[in-house]
Amino acid sequence: MAAETTIILPVRGFESGKSRLAKILSVQERTALNARMFAHVFAVAREVVGSDACLIVSPSQEICDLAESVGAQGLIEGGYGLNAALEEARRAVRARGSDGILALSCDLPLLVPADIEALLGAAHDVVLAPDVEGGGTNALLARGSAQIAYRFGPGSYRAHVHEAESLGAGVAVVNRPGLANDLDLPGQLSLLNNLGGGWQPAA
Ligand SMILES: Nc1nc2c(ncn2[C@@H]2O[C@H](COP(=O)(O)OP(=O)(O)OP(=O)(O)O)[C@@H](O)[C@H]2O)c(=O)[nH]1
Ligand SMILES: O=C(O)[C@H](O)COP(=O)(O)O
């Protein structure tokens, strides 16, 4: 039977992601950091919906192989950035009949299962989790025919609200620490204290 909600996890190659941290972390350190954050978010997603309701979209064969080794679906993207990758993933998910599609960022060190459950429990067609500043979108759940265009990039939260309003879809907003605190900048590295070791910068 098709899953009620499928979670799409978009992830850049571990070596290339989090380029805004390149001034303070080496490529090896950023690789470890990205791998650690992905492992965390993926584990939480699997705990809530199960591996077979997770689709990882990435330019990295290694990451897709990793996803498939634990029963999730891996999809290699065509290479045109985050929004295009998510659209490709959404087509794949819809082809298998899932009703709800949750696009979830993989840079959320504080994420816990109750965060995803809060998104799934919101009774609206479009459910958004903005970042702490209200600029970006860290999670976007769209149900049924309310499949709004992905507008990730600067100001994406307002853009997603606008897309939903244009479609006449009801919007719920979920504000929780685990969803709002994405890690982008050096000043946010302390968020990683929530995770175990494996990413620490060299002394
Ligand atoms: N598949 C895929 N995922 C992406 C792409 N760009 C960003 N992501 C993922 O989208 C989520 C949010 O991305 P950002 O906060 O922009 O992270 P980032 O691109 O690694 O960070 P910067 O390089 O500092 O901009 C993370 O899970 C990223 O891995 C892309 O082109 N393709
Ligand atoms: O809304 C977005 O585009 C993504 O969450 C990434 O935003 P960020 O680069 O501010 O993390």
Side-chain angles (χ1 to χ4, degrees), residues 41 48 70 98 126 128-129 163 199:
V41 172
V48 179
V70 294
S98 185
V126 174
L128 298 171
E163 289 289 339
W199 68 273

Side-chain angles (χ1 to χ4, degrees), residues 10-32:
V11 59
R12 284 175 73 178
F14 292 148
E15 335 62 49
S16 52
K18 293 299 147 199
S19 58
R20 281 169 282 178
L21 300 177
K23 281 192 183 140
I24 58 155
L25 297 182
S26 68
V27 66
Q28 290 85 356
E29 288 167 334
R30 281 185 291 120
T31 299

Side-chain angles (χ1 to χ4, degrees), residues 38-82:
F38 171 69
H40 175 71
V41 172
F42 187 28
V44 173
R46 288 160 60 205
E47 189 176 331
V48 179
V49 298
S51 291
D52 56 357
C54 293
L55 184 151
I56 285 66
V57 62
S58 178
S60 162
Q61 185 68 56
E62 181 198 347
I63 293 172
C64 288
D65 289 348
L66 182 72
E68 288 179 357
S69 73
V70 294
Q73 187 179 346
L75 178 69
I76 298 281
E77 69 203 59
Y80 303 103
L82 177 56

Side-chain angles (χ1 to χ4, degrees), residues 117-166:
E117 283 157 6
L119 295 166
L120 302 184
H124 288 78
D125 290 337
V126 174
V127 186
L128 298 171
D131 65 21
V132 275
E133 285 97 25
T137 310
N138 290 334
L140 189 172
L141 169 62
R143 294 191 166 101
S145 58
Q147 296 300 324
I148 61 171
Y150 292 123
R151 295 281 182 248
F152 288 91
S156 71
Y157 171 60
R158 289 301 321 156
H160 286 135
V161 170
H162 179 73
E163 289 289 339
E165 286 171 353
S166 304

